[in-house]
Amino acid sequence: MGIIFDKPLIGVVMCQNQLAGHAVQSVHNKYLDALFSAGGIPLALPHGLATTPELLEKSMTALSGILLTGSPSNIEPHHYGETSVEPDNDPGRDRLAFALVHSVIRRRMPLMAICRGLQELVVATGGTLHRALHLVDGLREHREDHALPLEQQYAPAHEVWVQPQGVLSELLPGCEKFWVNSLHAQGVRSLGAMARIEAHAADGLIEAISLNDHPFALALQWHPEWQSETSALSRPLFAGFIQASQRYQKEHRI
Ligand SMILES: N[C@@H](CCC(=O)NCCCC(=O)O)C(=O)O
């Protein structure tokens, strides 16, 4: 594979949507562009991969990293012990994302997870979510205003404080707090034993996590992929992920 791709191939999870009456799976260009700019080659992964474990595992042997993207859809609450129905669901994406997290943990393959992706990493490792942050006492509004132009929706919205001696503090040395965008209604309620807090907001909401005892598994509740190439706070995050994927590629002779 190295003969064809000297850059690491990064599997990217897609979202199920409707387009002119047809079911489609898609991924925003901003995620693909951020990976290309950092030196990776994105490869979109269809939900069908999760229907056959052997298929997924075979596909994983060609990859050197996984990116779990954001999405307007929400994880179905039964995955974290709640009974209510989720109208904005994407069960195929839930299945694939959870299978990818478990495979990544087994293989010690680098993972980067953004917004819904962070929530998937939380749930797949035994944590739970708040389903509507704006209804939780003491938590601020973390949603975007859909009436605004995209530039304003993805503009910095609040600060985050970085936990010392973590993955984030290593990638952004000297950066104890910084502003991030905020485009989510749900968020972390509790973490499983494998997860470590990397950053939190002023209202106490967990904004970034990593996995203990894993070479690189970083998840962010904000969107560093938005104009990542021109952001001094986002470029190092993708650079760190792609460097870890390059190391994985070399070690596994992919
Ligand atoms: N639906 C979840 C996750 C929010 C999320 O991932 N938003 C991303 C929007 C589209 C994108 O930029 O990828 C929640 O509301 O918490």
Side-chain angles (χ1 to χ4, degrees):
M1 191 64 77
I3 295 163
I4 305 169
F5 296 108
D6 57 345
K7 296 180 173 193
L9 205 51
I10 308 297
V12 183
V13 75
M14 292 191 280
C15 300
Q16 168 101 0
N17 296 300
Q18 290 291 319
L19 188 66
H22 292 270
V24 295
Q25 291 178 39
S26 62
V27 53
H28 289 185
N29 282 8
K30 61 189 162 91
Y31 295 106
L32 308 177
D33 294 344
L35 291 173
F36 276 125
S37 305
I41 307 284
L43 185 74
L45 303 177
H47 295 176
L49 282 179
T51 54
T52 322
E54 301 77 45
L55 197 59
L56 181 76
E57 287 310 317
K58 261 272 188 282
S59 311
M60 292 295 277
T61 61
L63 303 175
S64 301
I66 291 291
L67 177 70
L68 301 179
T69 63
S71 170
S73 69
N74 294 314
I75 298 171
E76 290 196 301
H78 67 84
H79 290 296
Y80 50 95
E82 291 197 12
T83 49
S84 45
V85 171
E86 173 52 63
D88 297 323
N89 66 357
D90 188 347
R93 168 150 177 171
D94 288 350
R95 257 193 308 278
L96 179 59
F98 296 148
L100 289 170
V101 168
H102 294 134
S103 183
V104 150
I105 290 172
R106 269 197 313 278
R107 292 169 182 275
R108 299 175 60 74
M109 181 187 282
L111 171 80
M112 186 165 179
I114 294 173
C115 208
R116 189 199 216 262
L118 171 141
Q119 297 166 2
E120 290 163 345
L121 182 61
V122 167
V123 171
T125 54
T128 61
L129 302 178
H130 287 297
R131 295 191 62 202
L133 295 173
H134 49 285
L135 301 180
V136 179
D137 263 359
L139 294 184
R140 51 161 286 149
E141 178 61 82
H142 284 260
R143 292 174 296 180
E144 71 276 38
D145 180 351
H146 290 284
L148 295 175
L150 281 184
E151 286 288 338
Q152 286 174 44
Q153 290 187 38
Y154 285 85
H158 64 76
E159 284 182 298
V160 293
W161 277 258
V162 176
Q163 203 71 21
Q165 288 157 10
V167 180
L168 208 49
S169 73
E170 197 172 309
L171 294 173
L172 299 172
C175 234
E176 286 162 16
K177 63 171 177 164
F178 55 91
W179 284 80
V180 297
N181 52 29
S182 188
L183 298 96
H184 59 108
Q186 307 202 331
V188 181
R189 183 200 284 261
S190 67
L191 291 178
M194 291 186 74
R196 171 192 194 280
I197 299 174
E198 289 281 341
H200 64 272
D203 59 7
L205 186 70
I206 295 171
E207 288 277 342
I209 63 165
S210 62
L211 292 186
N212 293 315
D213 192 29
H214 191 89
F216 189 102
L218 179 63
L220 314 154
Q221 189 61 84
W222 67 91
H223 287 265
E225 83 287 356
W226 176 256
Q227 300 178 339
S228 67
E229 220 183 327
T230 54
S231 162
L233 291 167
S234 300
R235 248 192 351 261
L237 308 184
F238 282 97
F241 172 49
I242 295 302
Q243 278 158 20
S245 303
Q246 281 163 337
R247 279 194 296 276
Y248 183 94
Q249 182 183 25
K250 226 183 215 160
E251 281 163 21
H252 293 79
R253 298 171 198 278
I254 298 170

